[in-house]
Amino acid sequence: MCSQAPPSMVSTEQRQHAEHIFLSFRKSKSPFAVCKHILETSKVDYVLFQAATAIMEAVVREWILLEKSSIESLITFLLTYVLQRPNLQKYVREQILLAVAVIVKRGSLDKSINCKSIFHEVSQLISSGNPTVQTLACSILTALLSEFSSSNKTSNIGLSMEFHGSCKRLFQEDDLKQIFMLTVEVLQEFSRRENLNAQMSCVFQCYLALANQVLSWNFLPPNHILSCREVMHYIAMFEATQNVMLKPTASWRETLLDHRVMDLFFTVHRKIREDSDMAQDSLQCLAQLASMHGPIFPDENAQLTYLAHLMEGLLNMINGIEIEDSEAVGISNIINNLISTFPRSVLTALPNELFASFINCLTLLTCSFGRSAALEEVLDKDDMVYMEAYDKLLESWLTLVQEDEHFPRGCFVQPAVQVFNSYIQCHLAAPDGTRNLTANGVASHEEEEINELQEDDRELFSDQLASIGMLGRIAADHCIPLLTGLLENRVTRLHGQLQRHQQHLMASADPGTVDRKVLDDLYEDIHWLILVSGYLLADDPQGETPLIPSEVMEYSIKHSTEVDINTTLQLLGSPGEKATSIPGCNRTDSVIRLLSAVLRTSEVESRATRASLTELLSPQMGKDIVWFLRRWAKTYLLVDEKLYGQISMPLSTAFGADTEGAQWIVGYLLEKVINNLSVWSSEPDLANDTVELLVTLVEKRERANIVVQCENWWNLAKQFASRSPPLHMLSSTVQRTLMKALVLGGFAHMDSDTKQQYWAEVLHPLQQRFLNLINQENFAQICQEEAVKQEIIATLEALCGIAEATQIDNVASLFSFLMDFLSSCIGLMEVYRNSPETVNLIIEVFVEVAHKQICYLGETKSMKLYEVCLTLLQVYSKNNLGRKRLDVAAEEDQYQDLLLIMELLTNLLSKEFIDFSDTDEVFRGQEQSSGAGRAVSAADVVLYGVNIVLPLMSQDLLKFPSLCNQYYKLITFICEIFPEKIPQLPEELFKSLMCSLELGMTSMSSEISQLCLEALSPLAEQCAKTQEKDTPLFIATRHFLKVSHMMSKPLMQEYSELVETLLSNQRDAVIYQRLADAFNSLTASSTPPTMDRKQKVAFLKSLEEFVANVGGLLCVK
Amino acid sequence: MADPDLDFTSGDAGASTTYPMQCSALRKNGFVVLKGRPCKIVEMSTSKTGKHGHAKVIFLSYFCMAVFNHLVLVIGVKCSSLSLQVHMVGIDIFTNKKYEDICPSTHNMDVPNTKRNDYQVVDITEGFLSLMMDNGDVREDLRVPEGDLGKEIESKFAAGEEMLVTVLSAMGEESAVAVKPMTK
């Protein structure tokens, strides 16, 4: 018992010794008699457990040697043994039943063992009426199910995937059904009983769980020919058993299409719904039934009948009960499965009344779960069941309304109104809303610490907001005016509240007395109203040109006849006035009015900052405003009529190209940006969102053209160039983005004088100051002075920003501008060699330039960049070889320089993959004769860099994820692009490269291993090309062949050895033949191997066939 | 700094040892003065009280120079306008404990003027380095730093290797922070 004893009683050696005894016992030959003896006599549970395990392993091992009769008697022995000992420890009993299941499974394929007898026995056990015996019966069935499911629950018995697959297929057609029928009978029996005692309900629960397991069965398609995909399917099966949709084979029709089965599960749930554990199982069973699809339905009609019955049952179940907390997620799962599984055509074919009451029920549930979710948030519960359920239902709504053209027109409008209203209500403060109210109406308000890692609501709730925004569009007639009204109201109140505070502050100079409660409530209301408005009016502006959502466009068009354009423009252009004070404000375009409500919020904010009330404002609201304006501007500003079938007059008059409205709003946004950057320099997130808005304004040429006409823009440029407050107080990332925006703006349309003047304001001061500084005679002496260092750092930051502004049409001028700096930067590298911060920043400039520009550069320009990078690396290496620093914290930051250099090298290499410079079109007129002859190639730079990096990359450093990823990305690139250079590496370097490849393949994440394998294949090709054996690369690659089990075709001889090894491991003659044939046909097509593409494709194809044919045999579990 | 024609020729005699900077513009790995000591920022984060609160910056830093063992008390400063507490917790490098400080991000912090010089090591006596200055003079007032770096310098010196040490100075104190073999 040494292996089980507590550590205080036995030594480690004793324990290991004991474990060894058990392990070797399990391997002993034909241990059946001994095991039986142990089982019958021993009183020690652990020994019993080991004996059962030994029997199981031995049967599988010695299967072909065993007589059929002895196997059968063994099964009978084990079953009887368990039956006669009801008091066995649970884990011993389960192990014995597992042994039975494994034996049955092993025998099922050659039909030597018949499940029938076991089922017969089980049904007798069930009918015994004795709860203990019934539980045992359930355990037997569960063990069989787990074994045959070929899932991660299946035992490892060393047989091929194909064996597991065939067993599963046989089982699911017959035995599985029988198990299900037995289960259903038991459930029926129990559901009829009036009172269940504790013991009975335990049995009930076991069978319910079993039913759930059957309904979650991952059905294999019935055909016997394996496609390649299916082999992958097998392998995937062993990993996942979660979220399986029910897709039974046609033979299950009689069983599962029988309405009584579905009714039974509804009945069962009704009976046990108050028991949260059991309710979970019964709801999961129903959710599985709601996900049923595939060949089980003979036609759409059958599907329709099934769905109608399911829906009726569901409605009966939900209506008239008060839903328990534990039911919420389960019910939303049923609905979500149902909506995503059944095709639109079936949903629309449902009887109108039924569908209407389903939608009605879904609406009520959504609203109610939403309210409960809000309550959970107030109570700060750990387990947010309603939030999860609410998310699921909103997801279902999104699925429904995204294809709403299939449904009767307008059928979702009323539900959308209700769900939208309830969402708004939950997010507004009392009296309009219920935010922060507990169930009994008590307000709770706590200020918690929020750190920067916490996501902003707009990301945290993006899924919810997207659904709500979508529903808002469906019911635009209701929702847009609602949002506008609420927002206008809150803004007016905020204005008044701030004014009161100002008067109060002037009267008593003590700001400590300000009560922020009212303000914070208003800020929170405005926060949510702006978020919902943003999601309603526009889509996430990522990637493609975002379009105005069709519902919003239609809404605006529909009402355009009632709209007075002039009043609308007046309303838009006077954000300082109350909207309702404008005469005729009810005859304005609602979409524009919603925007103008946000502009009014923005105006109140700006005015408060001018009145020195910034400390009373909410930076969160400031973020919301610029976030909204950015999203809005991307979609609506300078709306392009060509992109729309029909366009709303108010929208095109207010925001179209060449309109006063567009000009006005650009000016307004610019003013907002400038104001924010000076007022909110201490709020990094807000400053960041603000400067992103600025980038949005100038990144499109059409918008930039208007921007550069604004005087403010020029002021901003001058102010930034002079490095004066407040802009220089911004964080470095914001300053970089600001520089980027200023550069982008410079490419707008201007006459040549203006353009010249612009660059003289923006870029020339930078250059001038920099040159003046570094050309001073005593620069070496003054370089450590603080003012000088700051100037240098500001210049380097600005250079990064300039590089970030690179676009295809400005790369020519930006590259020339930056190149001048890059050479000077190398001089700086020397001067600041002992200041790591500055060194890193200099390398970063190179990284950015390479990252943004290399893909556009022609040969000569690339060469220039390679040269300057090479010089940079040389200087770095000279100054850092052997340098040792004092650093307290051994963190990744210390290796920032290494990381940056690897990034630089990777960026330089990326030209081999992404190259837009087919001709030197963008540099026309500048390019002189190509610099052939003294060429520095990317390979030279990169290999030189690798010489620096490799010796510094220790195994410890690879433990830092960022370093590790960057490192492997780099060496994989190198192997792929310059395989011919690898053998030429110095021996030490070559060795460490190979070592890190092996390390990456064997002990890193799968992503890294994949990279390494990708690196290997070009190396192998390289070997094949040179046809030289005994080169270090050849030897190394051969080594990898064994390590990775990869079949690298060029190494034919190695390959055939591997094949033979594989074959010799196969004892079964049939399989041997199949394998040998498969290997033959694999190589037949591609001998002798050549390296062209066609060959490769042909080989890949035969490899695929090969895997399809024997993959199932080679994967063993 | 508004003047574009900066005069960089003046020496640093009488210059302030620190300059102010808005908290939000400070950066990780940069320098800052905490409790009168020049420190390197090793961690920096912002937080706010309540969703609509203003940002605060949290620093985590070490003394950039290890000269004395300091024990620093926790102090609280009431910041009138926002009634936010400024916390500082600082502990010396040798004990490897951290300095922490929270302040409103609008606050100006002092940043030390720092300077780095490379000197050739000519001798080591009784724990002090003899360093050759640019003008040929030798200074002998700098201690061999403690820890790995000091050991590295001593063993290199014992092996007869020629080397340069980088000396970091700030607020009137100096310390060797890096060593590099001389390039031949």
Side-chain angles (χ1 to χ4, degrees), chain A residues 576-601:
Chain A
E577 286 170 47
K578 249 173 90 170
T580 45
S581 68
I582 293 165
C585 66
N586 291 329
R587 300 196 50 204
T588 51
D589 179 85
S590 297
V591 179
I592 296 179
R593 189 160 167 184
L594 181 53
L595 162 75
S596 86
V598 179
L599 292 182
R600 285 177 159 68
T601 323

PDB file of all heavy atoms in Angstrom, chain A residues 576-601:
ATOM      1  N   GLY A 576     -24.520  75.300 -29.683  1.00  0.00           N
ATOM      2  CA  GLY A 576     -24.534  75.990 -28.397  1.00  0.00           C
ATOM      3  C   GLY A 576     -25.937  76.270 -27.902  1.00  0.00           C
ATOM      4  O   GLY A 576     -26.135  76.621 -26.747  1.00  0.00           O
ATOM      5  N   GLU A 577     -26.934  76.113 -28.780  1.00  0.00           N
ATOM      6  CA  GLU A 577     -28.299  76.423 -28.358  1.00  0.00           C
ATOM      7  C   GLU A 577     -29.069  75.162 -28.055  1.00  0.00           C
ATOM      8  O   GLU A 577     -28.787  74.104 -28.586  1.00  0.00           O
ATOM      9  CB  GLU A 577     -29.023  77.181 -29.479  1.00  0.00           C
ATOM     10  CG  GLU A 577     -28.578  78.613 -29.617  1.00  0.00           C
ATOM     11  CD  GLU A 577     -29.137  79.230 -30.888  1.00  0.00           C
ATOM     12  OE1 GLU A 577     -30.347  79.072 -31.140  1.00  0.00           O
ATOM     13  OE2 GLU A 577     -28.350  79.834 -31.647  1.00  0.00           O
ATOM     14  N   LYS A 578     -30.079  75.336 -27.223  1.00  0.00           N
ATOM     15  CA  LYS A 578     -30.974  74.208 -26.945  1.00  0.00           C
ATOM     16  C   LYS A 578     -31.719  73.845 -28.213  1.00  0.00           C
ATOM     17  O   LYS A 578     -32.236  74.732 -28.898  1.00  0.00           O
ATOM     18  CB  LYS A 578     -31.991  74.624 -25.886  1.00  0.00           C
ATOM     19  CG  LYS A 578     -31.787  73.929 -24.553  1.00  0.00           C
ATOM     20  CD  LYS A 578     -32.717  74.511 -23.523  1.00  0.00           C
ATOM     21  CE  LYS A 578     -34.042  73.761 -23.492  1.00  0.00           C
ATOM     22  NZ  LYS A 578     -34.864  74.185 -22.329  1.00  0.00           N
ATOM     23  N   ALA A 579     -31.793  72.564 -28.533  1.00  0.00           N
ATOM     24  CA  ALA A 579     -32.442  72.150 -29.779  1.00  0.00           C
ATOM     25  C   ALA A 579     -33.892  72.588 -29.796  1.00  0.00           C
ATOM     26  O   ALA A 579     -34.397  73.079 -30.809  1.00  0.00           O
ATOM     27  CB  ALA A 579     -32.335  70.642 -29.942  1.00  0.00           C
ATOM     28  N   THR A 580     -34.566  72.448 -28.663  1.00  0.00           N
ATOM     29  CA  THR A 580     -36.006  72.728 -28.646  1.00  0.00           C
ATOM     30  C   THR A 580     -36.292  74.220 -28.726  1.00  0.00           C
ATOM     31  O   THR A 580     -37.423  74.613 -28.968  1.00  0.00           O
ATOM     32  CB  THR A 580     -36.634  72.159 -27.365  1.00  0.00           C
ATOM     33  OG1 THR A 580     -35.793  72.499 -26.258  1.00  0.00           O
ATOM     34  CG2 THR A 580     -36.762  70.655 -27.437  1.00  0.00           C
ATOM     35  N   SER A 581     -35.261  75.042 -28.549  1.00  0.00           N
ATOM     36  CA  SER A 581     -35.502  76.485 -28.619  1.00  0.00           C
ATOM     37  C   SER A 581     -35.471  76.994 -30.054  1.00  0.00           C
ATOM     38  O   SER A 581     -35.744  78.159 -30.306  1.00  0.00           O
ATOM     39  CB  SER A 581     -34.460  77.227 -27.783  1.00  0.00           C
ATOM     40  OG  SER A 581     -33.199  77.103 -28.393  1.00  0.00           O
ATOM     41  N   ILE A 582     -35.111  76.116 -30.987  1.00  0.00           N
ATOM     42  CA  ILE A 582     -35.059  76.539 -32.384  1.00  0.00           C
ATOM     43  C   ILE A 582     -36.448  76.400 -32.999  1.00  0.00           C
ATOM     44  O   ILE A 582     -37.038  75.309 -32.943  1.00  0.00           O
ATOM     45  CB  ILE A 582     -34.021  75.699 -33.160  1.00  0.00           C
ATOM     46  CG1 ILE A 582     -32.628  76.034 -32.623  1.00  0.00           C
ATOM     47  CG2 ILE A 582     -34.103  75.970 -34.657  1.00  0.00           C
ATOM     48  CD1 ILE A 582     -31.577  75.067 -33.016  1.00  0.00           C
ATOM     49  N   PRO A 583     -36.968  77.476 -33.564  1.00  0.00           N
ATOM     50  CA  PRO A 583     -38.323  77.387 -34.127  1.00  0.00           C
ATOM     51  C   PRO A 583     -38.390  76.344 -35.234  1.00  0.00           C
ATOM     52  O   PRO A 583     -37.489  76.268 -36.058  1.00  0.00           O
ATOM     53  CB  PRO A 583     -38.561  78.804 -34.698  1.00  0.00           C
ATOM     54  CG  PRO A 583     -37.481  79.660 -34.146  1.00  0.00           C
ATOM     55  CD  PRO A 583     -36.360  78.782 -33.729  1.00  0.00           C
ATOM     56  N   GLY A 584     -39.413  75.563 -35.210  1.00  0.00           N
ATOM     57  CA  GLY A 584     -39.591  74.540 -36.236  1.00  0.00           C
ATOM     58  C   GLY A 584     -38.692  73.340 -36.046  1.00  0.00           C
ATOM     59  O   GLY A 584     -38.446  72.575 -36.977  1.00  0.00           O
ATOM     60  N   CYS A 585     -38.212  73.148 -34.828  1.00  0.00           N
ATOM     61  CA  CYS A 585     -37.258  72.058 -34.603  1.00  0.00           C
ATOM     62  C   CYS A 585     -37.881  70.685 -34.816  1.00  0.00           C
ATOM     63  O   CYS A 585     -37.180  69.696 -34.938  1.00  0.00           O
ATOM     64  CB  CYS A 585     -36.635  72.145 -33.223  1.00  0.00           C
ATOM     65  SG  CYS A 585     -37.818  71.873 -31.904  1.00  0.00           S
ATOM     66  N   ASN A 586     -39.211  70.642 -34.861  1.00  0.00           N
ATOM     67  CA  ASN A 586     -39.836  69.336 -35.069  1.00  0.00           C
ATOM     68  C   ASN A 586     -39.903  68.957 -36.534  1.00  0.00           C
ATOM     69  O   ASN A 586     -40.309  67.856 -36.872  1.00  0.00           O
ATOM     70  CB  ASN A 586     -41.236  69.321 -34.461  1.00  0.00           C
ATOM     71  CG  ASN A 586     -41.143  69.378 -32.959  1.00  0.00           C
ATOM     72  OD1 ASN A 586     -40.166  68.877 -32.379  1.00  0.00           O
ATOM     73  ND2 ASN A 586     -42.116  70.004 -32.332  1.00  0.00           N
ATOM     74  N   ARG A 587     -39.494  69.900 -37.385  1.00  0.00           N
ATOM     75  CA  ARG A 587     -39.514  69.571 -38.807  1.00  0.00           C
ATOM     76  C   ARG A 587     -38.080  69.386 -39.320  1.00  0.00           C
ATOM     77  O   ARG A 587     -37.722  69.801 -40.413  1.00  0.00           O
ATOM     78  CB  ARG A 587     -40.229  70.660 -39.591  1.00  0.00           C
ATOM     79  CG  ARG A 587     -41.687  70.840 -39.146  1.00  0.00           C
ATOM     80  CD  ARG A 587     -42.463  71.617 -40.156  1.00  0.00           C
ATOM     81  NE  ARG A 587     -42.283  71.066 -41.492  1.00  0.00           N
ATOM     82  CZ  ARG A 587     -42.443  71.767 -42.610  1.00  0.00           C
ATOM     83  NH1 ARG A 587     -42.755  73.038 -42.544  1.00  0.00           N
ATOM     84  NH2 ARG A 587     -42.277  71.206 -43.784  1.00  0.00           N
ATOM     85  N   THR A 588     -37.258  68.788 -38.493  1.00  0.00           N
ATOM     86  CA  THR A 588     -35.863  68.572 -38.892  1.00  0.00           C
ATOM     87  C   THR A 588     -35.611  67.088 -39.113  1.00  0.00           C
ATOM     88  O   THR A 588     -36.350  66.249 -38.597  1.00  0.00           O
ATOM     89  CB  THR A 588     -34.912  69.066 -37.795  1.00  0.00           C
ATOM     90  OG1 THR A 588     -35.315  68.495 -36.567  1.00  0.00           O
ATOM     91  CG2 THR A 588     -34.929  70.571 -37.701  1.00  0.00           C
ATOM     92  N   ASP A 589     -34.579  66.775 -39.854  1.00  0.00           N
ATOM     93  CA  ASP A 589     -34.231  65.372 -40.110  1.00  0.00           C
ATOM     94  C   ASP A 589     -33.749  64.725 -38.809  1.00  0.00           C
ATOM     95  O   ASP A 589     -32.852  65.245 -38.143  1.00  0.00           O
ATOM     96  CB  ASP A 589     -33.135  65.282 -41.176  1.00  0.00           C
ATOM     97  CG  ASP A 589     -32.733  63.862 -41.445  1.00  0.00           C
ATOM     98  OD1 ASP A 589     -33.399  63.204 -42.262  1.00  0.00           O
ATOM     99  OD2 ASP A 589     -31.764  63.380 -40.807  1.00  0.00           O
ATOM    100  N   SER A 590     -34.343  63.570 -38.468  1.00  0.00           N
ATOM    101  CA  SER A 590     -34.052  62.964 -37.164  1.00  0.00           C
ATOM    102  C   SER A 590     -32.640  62.406 -37.065  1.00  0.00           C
ATOM    103  O   SER A 590     -32.047  62.383 -35.993  1.00  0.00           O
ATOM    104  CB  SER A 590     -35.043  61.848 -36.869  1.00  0.00           C
ATOM    105  OG  SER A 590     -36.319  62.375 -36.775  1.00  0.00           O
ATOM    106  N   VAL A 591     -32.122  61.908 -38.198  1.00  0.00           N
ATOM    107  CA  VAL A 591     -30.771  61.348 -38.151  1.00  0.00           C
ATOM    108  C   VAL A 591     -29.773  62.463 -37.865  1.00  0.00           C
ATOM    109  O   VAL A 591     -28.862  62.320 -37.045  1.00  0.00           O
ATOM    110  CB  VAL A 591     -30.442  60.649 -39.495  1.00  0.00           C
ATOM    111  CG1 VAL A 591     -29.035  60.077 -39.462  1.00  0.00           C
ATOM    112  CG2 VAL A 591     -31.447  59.547 -39.768  1.00  0.00           C
ATOM    113  N   ILE A 592     -29.987  63.603 -38.530  1.00  0.00           N
ATOM    114  CA  ILE A 592     -29.095  64.740 -38.293  1.00  0.00           C
ATOM    115  C   ILE A 592     -29.299  65.276 -36.880  1.00  0.00           C
ATOM    116  O   ILE A 592     -28.348  65.669 -36.207  1.00  0.00           O
ATOM    117  CB  ILE A 592     -29.359  65.839 -39.343  1.00  0.00           C
ATOM    118  CG1 ILE A 592     -29.010  65.275 -40.722  1.00  0.00           C
ATOM    119  CG2 ILE A 592     -28.542  67.083 -39.050  1.00  0.00           C
ATOM    120  CD1 ILE A 592     -29.242  66.233 -41.853  1.00  0.00           C
ATOM    121  N   ARG A 593     -30.520  65.214 -36.413  1.00  0.00           N
ATOM    122  CA  ARG A 593     -30.777  65.749 -35.078  1.00  0.00           C
ATOM    123  C   ARG A 593     -30.090  64.896 -34.010  1.00  0.00           C
ATOM    124  O   ARG A 593     -29.643  65.417 -32.984  1.00  0.00           O
ATOM    125  CB  ARG A 593     -32.281  65.806 -34.831  1.00  0.00           C
ATOM    126  CG  ARG A 593     -32.585  66.555 -33.567  1.00  0.00           C
ATOM    127  CD  ARG A 593     -34.006  67.048 -33.518  1.00  0.00           C
ATOM    128  NE  ARG A 593     -34.315  67.480 -32.155  1.00  0.00           N
ATOM    129  CZ  ARG A 593     -35.502  67.899 -31.780  1.00  0.00           C
ATOM    130  NH1 ARG A 593     -36.497  67.936 -32.649  1.00  0.00           N
ATOM    131  NH2 ARG A 593     -35.706  68.271 -30.530  1.00  0.00           N
ATOM    132  N   LEU A 594     -30.012  63.585 -34.250  1.00  0.00           N
ATOM    133  CA  LEU A 594     -29.317  62.737 -33.275  1.00  0.00           C
ATOM    134  C   LEU A 594     -27.828  63.095 -33.242  1.00  0.00           C
ATOM    135  O   LEU A 594     -27.221  63.208 -32.180  1.00  0.00           O
ATOM    136  CB  LEU A 594     -29.517  61.251 -33.623  1.00  0.00           C
ATOM    137  CG  LEU A 594     -28.863  60.237 -32.690  1.00  0.00           C
ATOM    138  CD1 LEU A 594     -29.261  60.492 -31.231  1.00  0.00           C
ATOM    139  CD2 LEU A 594     -29.255  58.810 -33.062  1.00  0.00           C
ATOM    140  N   LEU A 595     -27.240  63.277 -34.429  1.00  0.00           N
ATOM    141  CA  LEU A 595     -25.840  63.719 -34.455  1.00  0.00           C
ATOM    142  C   LEU A 595     -25.713  65.046 -33.721  1.00  0.00           C
ATOM    143  O   LEU A 595     -24.806  65.241 -32.913  1.00  0.00           O
ATOM    144  CB  LEU A 595     -25.351  63.885 -35.900  1.00  0.00           C
ATOM    145  CG  LEU A 595     -24.077  64.740 -36.018  1.00  0.00           C
ATOM    146  CD1 LEU A 595     -22.858  63.951 -35.554  1.00  0.00           C
ATOM    147  CD2 LEU A 595     -23.874  65.267 -37.414  1.00  0.00           C
ATOM    148  N   SER A 596     -26.653  65.953 -33.990  1.00  0.00           N
ATOM    149  CA  SER A 596     -26.495  67.275 -33.410  1.00  0.00           C
ATOM    150  C   SER A 596     -26.685  67.220 -31.897  1.00  0.00           C
ATOM    151  O   SER A 596     -26.143  68.048 -31.174  1.00  0.00           O
ATOM    152  CB  SER A 596     -27.411  68.283 -34.089  1.00  0.00           C
ATOM    153  OG  SER A 596     -28.671  68.273 -33.489  1.00  0.00           O
ATOM    154  N   ALA A 597     -27.415  66.212 -31.404  1.00  0.00           N
ATOM    155  CA  ALA A 597     -27.522  66.059 -29.952  1.00  0.00           C
ATOM    156  C   ALA A 597     -26.158  65.703 -29.361  1.00  0.00           C
ATOM    157  O   ALA A 597     -25.791  66.170 -28.276  1.00  0.00           O
ATOM    158  CB  ALA A 597     -28.540  64.975 -29.604  1.00  0.00           C
ATOM    159  N   VAL A 598     -25.393  64.879 -30.086  1.00  0.00           N
ATOM    160  CA  VAL A 598     -24.047  64.559 -29.603  1.00  0.00           C
ATOM    161  C   VAL A 598     -23.164  65.797 -29.691  1.00  0.00           C
ATOM    162  O   VAL A 598     -22.368  66.090 -28.792  1.00  0.00           O
ATOM    163  CB  VAL A 598     -23.434  63.398 -30.408  1.00  0.00           C
ATOM    164  CG1 VAL A 598     -22.029  63.087 -29.911  1.00  0.00           C
ATOM    165  CG2 VAL A 598     -24.295  62.153 -30.303  1.00  0.00           C
ATOM    166  N   LEU A 599     -23.331  66.568 -30.772  1.00  0.00           N
ATOM    167  CA  LEU A 599     -22.546  67.805 -30.894  1.00  0.00           C
ATOM    168  C   LEU A 599     -22.884  68.762 -29.752  1.00  0.00           C
ATOM    169  O   LEU A 599     -22.013  69.474 -29.243  1.00  0.00           O
ATOM    170  CB  LEU A 599     -22.814  68.485 -32.238  1.00  0.00           C
ATOM    171  CG  LEU A 599     -22.306  67.747 -33.476  1.00  0.00           C
ATOM    172  CD1 LEU A 599     -22.597  68.550 -34.737  1.00  0.00           C
ATOM    173  CD2 LEU A 599     -20.811  67.471 -33.371  1.00  0.00           C
ATOM    174  N   ARG A 600     -24.143  68.778 -29.337  1.00  0.00           N
ATOM    175  CA  ARG A 600     -24.529  69.628 -28.211  1.00  0.00           C
ATOM    176  C   ARG A 600     -23.825  69.166 -26.937  1.00  0.00           C
ATOM    177  O   ARG A 600     -23.373  69.973 -26.133  1.00  0.00           O
ATOM    178  CB  ARG A 600     -26.044  69.622 -28.031  1.00  0.00           C
ATOM    179  CG  ARG A 600     -26.727  70.462 -29.085  1.00  0.00           C
ATOM    180  CD  ARG A 600     -28.235  70.475 -29.036  1.00  0.00           C
ATOM    181  NE  ARG A 600     -28.709  71.657 -29.747  1.00  0.00           N
ATOM    182  CZ  ARG A 600     -28.596  71.834 -31.064  1.00  0.00           C
ATOM    183  NH1 ARG A 600     -28.056  70.887 -31.817  1.00  0.00           N
ATOM    184  NH2 ARG A 600     -28.999  72.945 -31.634  1.00  0.00           N
ATOM    185  N   THR A 601     -23.744  67.868 -26.766  1.00  0.00           N
ATOM    186  CA  THR A 601     -23.014  67.341 -25.601  1.00  0.00           C
ATOM    187  C   THR A 601     -21.566  67.823 -25.654  1.00  0.00           C
ATOM    188  O   THR A 601     -21.002  68.290 -24.662  1.00  0.00           O
ATOM    189  CB  THR A 601     -23.009  65.799 -25.621  1.00  0.00           C
ATOM    190  OG1 THR A 601     -24.259  65.328 -26.099  1.00  0.00           O
ATOM    191  CG2 THR A 601     -22.724  65.235 -24.257  1.00  0.00           C
TER     192      THR A 601
END
